[in-house]
Amino acid sequence: DYDKINTDVQSAITQGADVIVAGFPDPRQIAPLVNAAETSEIPIFSIDGGVEPNEDFVQDITFDQQQIADLGLGALDEAMGGLEGKDVMVIGHDPHVGIMTRSNIAVDELEAAGATIAGGEMRQVLNPGTSQEETLKFVTDYLQANPDGLDGIWTGWDHAALGAVQAINESGQDDIFVTGVDALGAAAAEIEKEGPFYASVLQDWSQVVDMTVESVESYRETGELPAEDFVEVEAELIDRSNVADYEPTM
């Protein structure tokens, strides 16, 4: 509810806030709080606030969306024995800037590699809260209409991936592979089973939070803003080769 967020932050500014820390704000929907912060000369430190430098934030720390897309695609390439000629479904959610960016990268790179996007275009989840159920339906419906028409599924986050895995398991097929993003505990458990869920890309948000807190503390102590306004952190692939040693934080 960005109307409420904008109102609450503007209220905090009038009450004397010194710093704003924004967790995954959508830069397209926070103009009122940004304007209020600029008027009061209050810096905004952002976590996952977009995929490119943004002068509204004195620092934004996020993950490299190109790398996230590439890691998942590399895992699918390995699982399917190549991308060329394969039918791959892509699951996205455009209201989230990061998911939108990496999903579109995935579509472009799949097509460039000679793969076919199943159904002709990316499937869009409407609500992250129901993404597992929505993806379950996407994949179930597609497999019912095309029993042999799917080789892999690239998803922009793990809840969607878990829905895809459920649909594949329920179909009885064992040659369709799924990749996700976030490396949730539930995703790691599925990867360990060596079934459809082949890999997930870890975004270590604890690391990003620590980096953000360090930047805010430095500003508090010195009054100096961060030297870098946009910091991209590298992600890590969690797959069958390393999942046994992986300890999920979410």
Side-chain angles (χ1 to χ4, degrees):
D1 185 346
Y2 275 97
D3 287 338
K4 185 177 189 307
I5 291 171
N6 283 311
T7 299
D8 287 350
V9 175
Q10 286 174 287
S11 176
I13 290 170
T14 62
Q15 293 174 33
D18 297 306
V19 169
I20 296 168
V21 177
F24 55 93
D26 185 337
R28 301 166 295 185
Q29 300 192 62
I30 59 171
L33 74 83
V34 168
N35 292 335
E38 288 180 350
T39 299
S40 298
E41 298 183 345
I42 296 173
I44 302 175
F45 294 78
S46 173
I47 296 170
D48 193 29
V51 295
E52 59 188 8
N54 184 340
E55 63 182 11
D56 294 340
F57 307 134
V58 296
Q59 187 172 68
D60 180 35
I61 306 177
T62 189
F63 284 87
D64 184 337
Q65 301 302 315
Q66 179 72 56
Q67 188 209 18
I68 290 173
D70 288 345
L71 286 172
L73 290 173
L76 269 187
D77 188 337
E78 178 180 87
M80 299 186 305
L83 298 176
E84 186 174 2
K86 300 300 193 300
D87 295 299
V88 180
M89 184 178 290
V90 176
I91 307 294
H93 177 62
D94 277 0
H96 185 284
V97 178
I99 293 173
M100 177 185 69
T101 301
R102 58 182 176 258
S103 299
N104 280 292
I105 291 171
V107 168
D108 290 345
E109 294 194 358
L110 282 164
E111 291 179 335
T116 298
I117 304 302
E121 61 183 4
M122 185 192 314
R123 303 299 177 95
Q124 289 286 342
V125 165
L126 298 178
N127 183 345
T130 58
S131 59
Q132 186 165 340
E133 293 82 1
E134 288 186 61
T135 306
L136 169 63
K137 186 176 188 321
F138 286 154
V139 179
T140 298
D141 290 350
Y142 188 84
L143 289 176
Q144 287 175 349
N146 307 272
D148 299 315
L150 198 57
D151 299 297
I153 304 171
W154 185 100
T155 70
W157 69 109
D158 277 348
H159 287 105
L162 291 166
V165 168
Q166 182 180 347
I168 295 166
N169 285 334
E170 290 177 358
S171 76
Q173 299 196 46
D174 60 2
D175 57 352
I176 303 171
F177 298 98
V178 179
T179 63
V181 178
D182 284 327
L184 301 177
E190 287 295 332
I191 293 169
E192 281 196 281
K193 295 177 183 177
E194 298 193 0
F197 209 141
Y198 196 78
S200 185
V201 181
L202 170 64
Q203 299 182 93
D204 187 349
W205 292 113
S206 296
Q207 176 191 8
V208 171
V209 169
D210 289 344
M211 293 170 66
T212 303
V213 170
E214 184 177 343
S215 291
V216 173
E217 279 294 304
S218 177
Y219 171 68
R220 182 181 68 83
E221 293 172 359
T222 68
E224 296 182 3
L225 296 175
E228 291 183 89
D229 63 358
F230 184 64
V231 179
E232 286 185 302
V233 180
E234 288 196 355
E236 178 186 359
L237 186 71
I238 303 300
D239 61 10
R240 297 175 180 182
S241 71
N242 60 2
V243 68
D245 298 320
Y246 169 60
E247 295 184 7
T249 58
M250 294 190 293

